[in-house]
Amino acid sequence: MSTASAARREIPEATVARLPLYLRALAALDTRGVEVVSSEELAEAAGVRSTGLRKDLSHLGSYGVRGVGYDVGRLTEEISRELGLHHDWSVAIIGMGNLGHALAAYGGFATRGFSVRWLVDEDPAVIGTQIAGLQVIDFAGLAEQAPESIIAVLATPPHAAQQAADQAIALGVRSILNFAPCVITVPDGVEVRKVDLATELQILAFHEQRGRDDALDAIEESRGLRRVSSRGEQ
Amino acid sequence: MSTASAARREIPEATVARLPLYLRALAALDTRGVEVVSSEELAEAAGVRSTGLRKDLSHLGSYGVRGVGYDVGRLTEEISRELGLHHDWSVAIIGMGNLGHALAAYGGFATRGFSVRWLVDEDPAVIGTQIAGLQVIDFAGLAEQAPESIIAVLATPPHAAQQAADQAIALGVRSILNFAPCVITVPDGVEVRKVDLATELQILAFHEQRGRDDALDAIEESRGLRRVSSRGEQ
DNA sequence: TATTGTGAAATAGTTCACAGCT
DNA sequence: AGCTGTGAACTATTTCACAATA
């Protein structure tokens, strides 16, 4: 707890998870020609509160100007650097079923800093076929071509996810975005984030069921007078 | 009345977000024929800690047996009820581009309790076409067919997302799963969850860049092997 | 004056330790 | 004996209030 590495600025996980939102909001402002933005405006654009935004940014350093706001270009730069977006990251999508196929074609990954460079599957019927301009390869092929550090997007069926993760990790992958609806276990030093569509729907269903009466009240009330629906009272 | 619902047990948001994981782990155990499970085993299967699991379940009530564990069927039932999965939820996917198309074909939504029943797009070239066994309709068509409460999955391009959300909300939608990489604003009483692929990748990139030294330190705390991460520079 | 940056307070969430059952 | 349920302690995160300053 006193080493040099621990003395590095420690950025809260919750803050890290919001930095990409700020980056996106800043990009939108930039294309609109905005050069300076207040925490109030940027927070609005990012869907957070201004005090939270300022607290988040304070973890990166002081890049704002009191009485004025933040320079859009400068702040974009600083957040990009913090997120490690100054060099390109290569992405391998693993599992070329419906979802993997779609992710390969989807532009969503092609944000600044990331490019999908490999499509991996173990099915001989799929290997060698062309998807979205890339040829599907197997893990052996990936091993040949990918000496550098890459991010793996797991889009296999759940029963194949663990093995696929193991193979990716064996090739040196240390960051995995898991779309398979299952838990995968990985060694220390490997980071996994999961995206689970069914889970998200179930969370929505909970709120839709639970909040029905309150929600109806809130909608009707908000036509005229703004009523804050604080869910945390009892 | 809302008095009754407000007086109901308040379940922490963090707990709600984990209930689907427990449900999935329980389903897996059930298909393996397991009838009783300890918090330790279930936590392992769900990828959480056993104390956290027990705390979570304690918010629903006491459904375990001390010295024994939890009845898989019973607990499945209780969590399902809590999440509102005792009746089926109808899902409308809005935006039939690459991603919407894939989500329509993807089995991931078809978990117990949810069925994709409408595909919506405003492009005349797409309306009327058949995708994954469903005919693509426009909002007018959705208005005719969907009097009941539904969940909307937004898969439009970002510039169309706000308008699509507004139209969905006008039809009575109060739960939205937003795949579009942008902020949408909704009135009180409407719940939005977002799934953002680029954001997830950026969070992984941060950790891959930042946590490399710490991760190695943790694994082998021996020598000050001040290693430089071997990411590719192009 | 307008707006940032930040300690302090408040709130939410996790982990611990062990009492309480079966 | 073994395992759940839970208050208490701890940690993380958000919100507040306001000092600092261009």
Side-chain angles (χ1 to χ4, degrees):
Chain A
M1 57 180 71
S2 59
T3 66
S5 71
R8 261 186 338 222
R9 269 196 310 273
E10 186 75 26
I11 299 184
E13 190 56 33
T15 295
V16 171
R18 280 185 297 260
L19 292 181
L21 306 185
Y22 304 153
L23 214 42
R24 190 159 70 207
L26 287 166
L29 289 165
D30 186 53
T31 57
R32 279 173 34 207
V34 178
E35 292 186 351
V36 174
V37 67
S38 70
S39 64
E40 198 65 57
E41 294 164 315
L42 183 54
E44 160 89 23
V48 302
R49 297 191 188 285
S50 64
T51 56
L53 169 62
R54 292 203 302 277
K55 181 68 98 180
D56 282 343
L57 295 183
S58 76
H59 293 296
L60 312 192
S62 295
Y63 300 127
V65 180
R66 294 171 197 238
V68 179
Y70 299 88
D71 180 273
V72 169
R74 171 87 190 284
L75 191 53
T76 299
E77 187 59 23
E78 297 297 345
I79 296 178
S80 294
R81 184 182 42 68
E82 200 64 58
L83 286 174
L85 302 182
H86 271 173
H87 71 81
D88 270 14
W89 295 92
S90 299
V91 174
I93 299 178
I94 301 174
M96 282 297 119
N98 266 323
L99 188 61
H101 204 286
L103 292 176
Y106 180 55
F109 284 141
T111 334
R112 172 191 51 250
F114 299 91
S115 58
V116 175
R117 290 181 50 195
W118 302 284
L119 307 179
V120 180
D121 204 300
E122 289 290 82
D123 180 353
V126 179
I127 296 168
T129 61
Q130 202 89 359
I131 296 178
L134 286 172
Q135 187 159 325
V136 179
I137 58 178
D138 59 8
F139 273 105
L142 184 61
E144 286 170 21
Q145 299 178 38
E148 64 195 293
S149 81
I150 64 180
I151 295 176
V153 173
L154 265 194
T156 66
H159 66 269
Q162 183 64 58
Q163 198 198 356
D166 292 345
Q167 290 182 90
I169 291 165
L171 296 184
V173 166
R174 287 173 312 233
S175 297
I176 297 175
L177 183 53
N178 181 26
F179 279 85
C182 62
V183 174
I184 60 174
T185 44
V186 299
D188 279 355
V190 176
E191 179 88 8
V192 178
R193 295 190 62 85
K194 61 181 158 39
V195 174
D196 185 343
L197 313 186
T199 293
E200 296 298 327
L201 287 186
Q202 290 175 9
I203 295 170
L204 283 173
F206 171 85
H207 288 120
E208 175 116 10
Q209 168 188 257
R210 177 56 78 99
R212 175 149 303 155
D213 296 337
D214 295 343
L216 281 180
D217 290 352
I219 286 175
E220 281 161 16
E221 293 283 336
S222 69
R223 296 289 182 217
L225 184 63
R226 191 167 118 81
R227 194 192 97 170
V228 180
S229 68
S230 58
R231 241 184 253 275
E233 285 184 330
Q234 67 174 37
Chain B
M1 305 288 282
S2 33
T3 338
S5 70
R8 289 179 65 179
R9 273 188 308 272
E10 187 73 26
I11 299 184
E13 191 55 33
T15 295
V16 172
R18 282 185 295 261
L19 292 180
L21 306 185
Y22 304 154
L23 214 43
R24 189 160 70 206
L26 286 166
L29 290 165
D30 186 54
T31 57
R32 280 173 35 207
V34 177
E35 292 186 350
V36 174
V37 67
S38 70
S39 64
E40 198 65 57
E41 295 165 313
L42 182 54
E44 160 90 24
V48 301
R49 297 191 187 286
S50 64
T51 55
L53 168 63
R54 291 204 300 278
K55 180 68 96 178
D56 282 342
L57 296 183
S58 77
H59 292 296
L60 312 192
S62 296
Y63 301 126
V65 180
R66 293 168 198 240
V68 179
Y70 300 88
D71 180 273
V72 170
R74 172 86 190 285
L75 190 53
T76 299
E77 185 59 24
E78 297 296 347
I79 295 178
S80 294
R81 185 180 42 69
E82 200 64 57
L83 286 174
L85 302 182
H86 53 263
H87 74 79
D88 269 14
W89 295 92
S90 298
V91 174
I93 298 179
I94 300 174
M96 284 296 119
N98 268 323
L99 188 61
H101 204 286
L103 292 176
Y106 181 54
F109 284 140
T111 336
R112 174 191 49 251
F114 299 91
S115 57
V116 176
R117 289 182 51 194
W118 301 284
L119 307 180
V120 180
D121 205 299
E122 289 289 82
D123 180 353
V126 179
I127 296 168
T129 62
Q130 203 88 1
I131 296 177
L134 285 172
Q135 186 158 325
V136 178
I137 59 177
D138 59 8
F139 273 105
L142 184 61
E144 286 170 21
Q145 298 178 39
E148 65 194 293
S149 81
I150 63 180
I151 294 176
V153 174
L154 264 195
T156 67
H159 67 268
Q162 182 64 58
Q163 197 197 359
D166 292 344
Q167 290 182 89
I169 292 165
L171 296 185
V173 166
R174 289 178 308 246
S175 297
I176 296 176
L177 182 53
N178 182 24
F179 279 85
C182 62
V183 174
I184 59 174
T185 44
V186 299
D188 279 355
V190 176
E191 179 89 9
V192 178
R193 294 189 64 85
K194 60 181 160 38
V195 174
D196 185 342
L197 313 185
T199 293
E200 296 297 328
L201 287 186
Q202 290 177 7
I203 296 171
L204 283 172
F206 171 85
H207 287 118
E208 175 115 10
Q209 169 187 260
R210 177 55 83 96
R212 204 49 42 208
D213 295 339
D214 291 346
L216 281 188
D217 288 353
I219 291 171
E220 43 170 290
E221 60 165 0
S222 51
R223 70 203 68 210
L225 178 63
R226 192 55 127 167
R227 41 140 352 263
V228 179
S229 72
S230 59
R231 38 179 134 85
E233 49 273 77
Q234 284 119 336

